[in-house]
Every structure is written in C-alpha cells, then in structure tokens.
C-alpha cells in the first residue's frame, strides 16, 4: 500500500485555488502498481456475488472496468449529463468544486441485481451518495462501494449510508 500511496501525486490549487488535487495518473502508469491496486480493490468483495460494477465518470471508469473483469462482473457506466442515449435516470449532486449530475441508462441493471460502486476519490461524498441514489432508482441491490483514495478531512464517509460497506485503499 506504501508503494501505491507514493504513486498518487498531490497537486496544489488544481482545478481551482485551495484544492489539493490527488492525481492517480502515476499509479495507472505503473503496470505492477495498477495490478496491485485492482487486486486490493477486489479483495473485500470476492465471493459476495457482485453482478455489476458501476463506475463513475471519468476516473471511476478506469478502476471500475478493471475491477469488473477481476470480479467476473459486468460493467455499468454512471455518466455525466447528456452522454447516454435515452431513456436515462438522473441524480443531481454537489462537488468539492461545483455541482453536477449523474445519469444511468434505465435498463442498465436488472431489478435486484447486486452492484458495487467504484470511484477513484471520495472527497465530500456527494458523488458517491448520488451514485448510491441512482443505484436505488435503478432497482439494484447495493452491495457496497470502493474508492482508491479517501480524503478523510472532507468527511465524505458521513454522507454514506450506514450499514453498507465502503472501502478505501489509501487515506489522506
Ligand atoms: O466526493 P466528492 O466531493 O463528490 O468528489 C469526488 C469526485 O470528484 C472527482 O470527479 P470529478 O467530478 O472531478 O470528475 P472526473 O472524474 O471526470 O475528473 C472524483 O473522480 C470523484 O468522482
Ligand atoms: N482533491 C481532489 N483530488 C482528486 N479528485 C477529487 N475530487 C474531488 N476532490 C478531489
């Protein structure tokens, strides 16, 4: 985990002044670190019958697609507005630096399908909470969520639903 942490770059004042951006690009660029990261993300969910991994645009797609393969699950993209053809379901949310909307195709998940949410970073928790609300709208059974980086000072975990597992690999 130490090696993975060393491959997340801290970038001050990006994308706006006052934000310390955690950049996972160096981790992705290392074949061994990326593989270890996917191993570690998959570990808590082995044997829990995850049927679909829902990755959050954009960086959540990278980790989510690889994790879906590792868990022998399908992949469902949760996308920013106006990217998916209709019919879609949508949830609006606030970010550390702005507001946004997540959309999923209405038929993307079968009712009761066991889904796992994946993203690169948990900051204020708005994105992951919106993804959980979207999974609910889709009629999915939410098994839990995994993120690579948790920014603990922003207390995003307090916006996560109690009783549903939320795993993070690296905490700052
Ligand atoms: O916990 P929160 O405060 O909601 O923030 C976390 C979200 O912010 C970033 O995404 P961003 O919207 O910047 O999009 P990107 O992945 O397309 O760069 C990150 O990838 C998470 O999805
Ligand atoms: N500080 C941060 N670094 C990387 N991604 C983020 N998403 C929200 N806040 C972020």
């Amino acid at each position: 985990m130490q090696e993975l942490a060393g491959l997340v770059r801290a970038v001050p004042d990006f994308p706006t002044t006052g934000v310390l951006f955690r950049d996972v690009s160096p981790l992705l660029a290392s074949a061994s670190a990326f593989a270890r990261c996917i191993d570690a993300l998959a570990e808590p969910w082995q044997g829990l019958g995850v049927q679909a991994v829902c990755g959050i645009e954009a960086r959540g797609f990278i980790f989510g697609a690889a994790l879906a393969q590792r868990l022998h699950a399908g992949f469902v993209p949760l996308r920013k507005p106006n990217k998916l053809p209709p019919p879609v379901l949508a949830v609006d949310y606030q970010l550390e630096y702005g507001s946004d909307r997540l959309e999923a195709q209405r038929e993307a998940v079968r009712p009761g399908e066991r889904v796992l949410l994946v993203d690169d970073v948990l900051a204020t928790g708005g994105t992951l909470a919106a993804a959980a609300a979207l999974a609910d709208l889709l009629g999915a059974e939410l098994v839990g969520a995994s993120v690579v980086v948790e920014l603990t000072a922003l207390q995003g975990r307090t916006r996560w639903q109690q009783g549903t597992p939320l795993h993070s690999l690296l905490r700052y």
Side-chain angles (χ1 to χ4, degrees):
M1 228 38 80
Q2 200 80 4
E3 188 213 342
L4 296 189
L7 290 171
V8 177
R9 196 167 65 107
V11 185
D13 298 323
F14 180 85
T16 54
T17 307
V19 173
L20 182 62
F21 189 81
R22 302 288 176 170
D23 180 17
V24 295
S25 305
L27 186 159
L28 294 171
S30 161
S32 61
F34 188 23
R36 260 203 303 285
C37 178
I38 298 303
D39 287 344
L41 285 173
E43 200 272 328
W45 310 110
Q46 300 283 6
L48 294 186
V50 173
Q51 295 170 294
V53 173
C54 296
I56 301 171
E57 186 169 356
R59 287 167 274 150
F61 288 177
I62 304 166
F63 295 99
L67 182 58
Q69 285 283 296
R70 187 62 53 90
L71 292 174
H72 306 291
F75 178 77
V76 173
L78 304 186
R79 298 214 60 177
K80 301 291 167 65
N82 308 315
K83 302 283 189 185
L84 290 167
V88 297
L89 296 170
V91 172
D92 293 307
Y93 63 99
Q94 299 298 313
L95 274 173
E96 188 185 3
Y97 35 75
S99 68
D100 219 329
R101 168 185 289 229
L102 275 184
E103 294 182 350
Q105 283 181 304
R106 205 172 60 198
E107 315 294 334
V109 169
R110 290 185 301 277
E113 196 168 346
R114 289 172 64 75
V115 307
L116 170 65
L117 305 177
V118 176
D119 208 351
D120 64 331
V121 174
L122 175 70
T124 64
T127 305
L128 206 58
L134 200 46
D136 194 46
L137 281 180
L138 288 165
E141 184 181 336
L142 184 58
V143 179
S146 271
V147 297
V148 179
V149 171
E150 177 175 358
L151 305 178
T152 54
L154 295 173
Q155 300 187 324
R157 192 173 276 276
T158 62
R159 298 176 68 177
W160 182 247
Q161 48 209 71
Q162 279 193 352
T164 305
L166 166 58
H167 294 291
S168 57
L169 295 186
L170 307 171
R171 286 169 284 278
Y172 297 94

